[in-house]
């Protein structure tokens, strides 16, 4: 049962209508996200053949530092643009003018500090890193603005364009010109520029600024909202960067290169979250004021969690099949930690689901504190486990860190919405993932791995038959 949008009356049809709308928006985001992530995944074998493990480790470190600097540069202000502009009653011109003034001021301040640091430390790749940070922040902002304006199709297409330009750049610079790891960074920069222009040119709202529209009070509210998101994003960086530093310190750059490739597979799984979360954010904001939202939110959470966990059951053996066929033998050991990294990615996606409740309430303090707690757990466990267990220890630290975030968020967000989680079913499915992983590790031939993948795929279809039936009915329409 759910409340009517306009008059508060209960209807039988509305939950189904919500589900169809959620599925529609998810499908739109899927076009962009799946296409872009699959293209990015396919470029991995190319990188492993033309870039040594040590250089891949250096690239991973540079990429991670850029990811750190992006939220710091503009204090995570791009996300506030989405939250403010998505409201139907919002004065979009005033909001964008206010936000753009904040963005420019923060960028100027960051630029001064960045180049002063370069004068002192003279670190390599400085101009390229600076361009990636500033233009990357601008591209993220255009993406958030596009979603806030409900131009979801344009947002989805921009993801595909980004990936096409990125893959083409990687091929030309890495395979043909053999630029090395810097070729990956230049390809990323070119893709960012092209995709940004694609978003800005057709949307007049993203090219309009008026000093008269600047609202100082709204600017402070946006800044306060984003400032609490900054520790949240920095903690994710800490979980990644410090984990990499621990691996490099105890095992060397080659081991970090292998681990960075292993992390590409759960990042591909994260495309499911990247598809679903934007669609869920829009619907959650619209339904957040409902008194009976708990039942619907809980239903969506459990179905989403079941889909993610059971997706790993065929995902693990299929990953081994891909590794054996497409990747250089120097990277085959990355499969050993894939199952734990996949489970960590699932917990991360479920944490993002709970994190949407902070956004709906415009209360981002909890997002910061929970991620800080998870990052601390991850770092401590990595320091303890990597020296004795190698990459397996780093993967285990990642898993437990994400589990910590999820548990705390579920408790904190109970004051906004009480999610009733079906823990027994999810635990049973997690055990099935472990069994699938052990079976894939024991399989020695490509035929055995292929047969195992087919069996696991059948299990996935059976476990998600209700969701697949809903999808089938939607596609027939």
């Amino acid at each position: 049962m759910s409340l009517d949008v306009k008059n508060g009356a209960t209807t039988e049809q509305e939950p189904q209508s919500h589900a169809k709308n959620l599925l529609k928006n998810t499908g739109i985001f899927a076009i962009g996200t799946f296409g872009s992530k699959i293209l990015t995944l396919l470029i991995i074998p190319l990188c492993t053949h033309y870039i040594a493990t040590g250089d891949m480790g250096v690239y991973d470190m540079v990429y991670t530092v850029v990811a750190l600097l992006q939220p710091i540069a503009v204090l995570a202000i791009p996300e506030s643009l989405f939250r403010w502009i998505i409201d139907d009653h919002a004065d979009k011109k005033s909001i964008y003018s206010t936000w753009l003034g904040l963005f420019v001021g923060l960028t100027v301040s960051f630029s001064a500090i960045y180049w002063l640091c370069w004068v002192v430390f003279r670190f390599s790749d400085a101009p390229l890193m600076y361009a990636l940070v500033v233009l990357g922040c601008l591209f993220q902002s255009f993406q958030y603005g596009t979603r806030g304006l409900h131009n979801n199709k344009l947002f989805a297409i921009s993801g595909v364009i980004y990936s096409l330009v990125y893959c083409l750049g990687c091929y030309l610079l890495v395979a043909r010109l053999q630029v090395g790891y810097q070729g990956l960074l230049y390809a990323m920069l070119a893709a960012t520029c092209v995709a940004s222009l694609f978003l800005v040119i057709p949307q007049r709202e993203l090219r309009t600024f008026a000093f008269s529209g600047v609202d100082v009070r709204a600017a402070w509210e946006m800044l306060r909202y984003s400032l609490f998101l900054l520790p949240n994003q920095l903690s994710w960086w800490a979980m990644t960067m410090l984990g990499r530093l621990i691996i490099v310190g105890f095992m060397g750059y080659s081991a970090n290169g292998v681990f960075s490739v292993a992390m590409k597979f759960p990042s591909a799984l994260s495309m499911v979250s990247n598809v679903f979360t934007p669609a869920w954010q829009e619907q959650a904001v619209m339904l957040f004021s409902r008194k009976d939202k708990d039942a619907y939110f809980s239903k969506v959470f459990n179905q989403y969690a079941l889909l993610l966990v059971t997706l790993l059951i065929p995902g693990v053996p299929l990953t081994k099949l891909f590794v054996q066929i497409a990747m250089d033998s120097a990277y085959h050991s990355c499969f050993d930690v894939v199952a734990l990294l996949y489970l960590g990615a699932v917990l991360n996606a479920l944490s993002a689901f709970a994190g949407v409740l902070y956004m709906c309430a415009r209360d981002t303090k909890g997002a910061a504190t929970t991620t800080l707690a998870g990052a601390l757990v991850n770092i401590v466990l990595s320091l303890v486990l990597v020296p004795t267990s190698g990459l397996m220890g780093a993967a285990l630290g990642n898993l437990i860190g994400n589990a910590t975030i999820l548990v705390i968020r579920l408790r904190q967000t109970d004051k906004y919405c009480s999610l009733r989680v079906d823990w027994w079913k999810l635990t049973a499915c997690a055990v099935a993932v472990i069994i699938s992983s052990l079976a894939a590790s024991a399989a020695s031939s490509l035929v055995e791995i292929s047969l195992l993948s087919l069996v696991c795929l059948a299990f996935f279809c059976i476990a998600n038959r209700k969701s697949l039936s809903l999808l089938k009915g939607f596609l027939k329409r």
Side-chain angles (χ1 to χ4, degrees):
M1 300 287 287
S2 182
L3 293 178
D4 184 84
V5 175
K6 297 181 180 179
N7 57 30
T10 58
T11 66
E12 294 289 343
Q13 296 82 11
E14 194 168 336
Q16 186 177 4
S17 175
H18 294 329
K20 290 180 179 179
N21 288 333
L22 182 60
L23 186 60
K24 177 183 177 181
N25 285 331
T26 302
I28 293 174
F29 289 118
I31 295 172
T33 304
F34 273 100
S36 61
K37 291 294 183 180
I38 289 173
L39 287 171
T40 304
L41 181 63
L42 293 176
I43 208 69
I44 294 176
L46 175 71
C47 298
T48 62
H49 287 291
Y50 289 94
I51 301 177
T53 57
D55 286 341
M56 184 64 78
V58 174
Y59 158 76
D60 184 67
M61 292 291 289
V62 172
Y63 179 84
T64 305
V65 170
V66 170
L68 162 69
L69 293 179
Q70 283 182 345
I72 293 177
V74 291
L75 301 181
I77 203 70
E79 293 194 39
S80 66
L81 175 61
F82 169 76
R83 183 60 188 91
W84 261 254
I85 207 171
I86 194 175
D87 291 335
D88 293 332
H89 63 274
D91 183 347
K92 292 178 171 49
K93 183 177 181 179
S94 175
I95 289 173
Y96 186 73
S97 297
T98 301
W99 171 87
L100 187 59
L102 275 174
F103 183 89
V104 172
L106 292 169
T107 302
V108 170
S109 300
F110 166 75
S111 300
I113 296 172
Y114 180 89
W115 290 113
L116 180 62
C117 292
W118 179 78
V119 169
V120 176
F121 298 105
R122 297 286 177 172
F123 46 88
S124 59
D125 297 321
L128 184 55
M129 290 174 61
Y130 175 80
L132 286 170
V133 170
V134 175
L135 294 177
C137 289
L138 199 59
F139 177 49
Q140 289 177 7
S141 302
F142 292 149
Q143 287 184 308
Y144 279 116
T146 300
R147 286 179 50 209
L149 295 171
H150 301 288
N151 294 328
N152 293 335
K153 293 181 180 179
L154 196 65
F155 170 84
I157 296 172
S158 72
V160 176
I161 290 177
Y162 177 95
S163 296
L164 286 172
V165 175
Y166 175 72
C167 291
L168 178 61
C170 288
Y171 172 74
L172 293 175
L173 296 172
V174 176
R176 305 297 295 179
L177 299 179
Q178 298 187 5
V179 177
Y181 76 90
Q182 288 183 329
L184 299 176
L185 300 175
Y186 282 115
M188 191 185 307
L189 183 62
T192 300
C193 293
V194 173
S196 296
L197 290 174
F198 175 81
L199 290 175
V200 171
I201 291 174
Q203 297 184 101
R204 185 177 181 182
E205 296 88 344
L206 299 182
R207 293 182 281 109
T208 303
F209 176 80
F211 283 104
S212 60
V214 176
D215 186 334
V216 177
R217 181 180 178 182
W220 280 110
E221 290 177 354
M222 286 183 182
L223 194 58
R224 179 181 178 275
Y225 176 89
S226 63
L227 278 175
F228 284 111
L229 290 174
L230 185 59
N232 179 55
Q233 296 190 14
L234 291 182
S235 297
W236 285 122
W237 173 86
M239 291 177 68
T240 303
M241 180 64 177
L242 294 181
R244 298 291 199 276
L245 290 174
I246 292 169
I247 292 173
V248 170
F250 286 104
M251 303 180 67
Y253 276 107
S254 293
N256 184 52
V258 172
F259 191 77
S260 68
V261 170
M263 285 294 292
K264 299 295 183 182
F265 294 104
S267 69
L269 174 69
S270 297
M271 66 185 176
V272 177
S273 175
N274 294 336
V275 163
F276 176 79
T277 300
W280 174 241
Q281 285 176 335
E282 293 187 21
Q283 187 170 96
V285 170
M286 292 188 295
L287 302 178
F288 189 68
S289 60
R290 310 294 183 83
K291 293 182 179 180
D292 66 341
K293 64 180 178 293
D294 291 10
Y296 179 68
F297 280 33
S298 297
K299 181 179 179 181
V300 174
F301 179 89
N302 285 312
Q303 290 184 344
Y304 179 51
L306 179 65
L307 173 68
L308 289 175
V309 178
T310 54
L311 188 60
L312 302 187
I313 297 173
V316 172
L318 285 172
T319 300
K320 183 172 184 179
L321 193 64
F322 180 83
V323 169
Q324 294 288 336
I325 294 175
M327 296 178 63
D328 188 82
S329 59
Y331 291 90
H332 284 185
S333 61
C334 71
F335 175 76
D336 297 339
V337 297
V338 160
L340 290 179
L341 294 176
Y342 271 143
L343 288 172
V346 168
L347 294 173
N348 179 277
L350 297 180
S351 297
F353 184 103
V356 171
L357 298 175
Y358 296 122
M359 184 207 71
C360 291
R362 291 191 179 181
D363 181 10
T364 50
K365 294 179 182 178
T369 57
T370 53
T371 311
L372 283 170
L376 181 61
V377 169
N378 184 10
I379 293 167
V380 171
L381 288 177
S382 295
L383 283 170
V384 173
L385 296 175
V386 169
T388 57
S389 304
L391 297 183
M392 189 67 71
L396 189 59
N398 176 276
L399 173 65
I400 298 176
N402 280 299
T404 301
I405 296 171
L406 176 60
V407 171
I408 300 176
R409 283 191 177 182
L410 288 176
R411 291 183 178 180
Q412 283 190 354
T413 56
D414 190 65
K415 60 185 177 182
Y416 309 130
C417 176
S418 181
L419 295 175
R420 296 184 291 273
V421 182
D422 190 347
W423 289 112
W424 288 107
K425 182 180 292 185
L426 295 181
T427 302
C429 291
V431 172
V433 173
I434 295 173
I435 295 173
S436 171
S437 176
L438 294 174
S441 298
S444 58
S445 67
L446 294 180
V447 174
E448 292 176 349
I449 301 173
S450 300
L451 291 175
L452 176 63
S453 300
L454 290 174
V455 171
C456 292
L457 189 60
F459 181 90
F460 167 79
C461 294
I462 294 172
N464 294 278
R465 56 188 179 278
K466 291 183 179 179
S467 298
L468 294 175
S469 176
L470 178 63
L471 177 61
K472 181 180 179 181
F474 177 79
L475 293 176
K476 284 184 176 180
R477 297 181 60 191

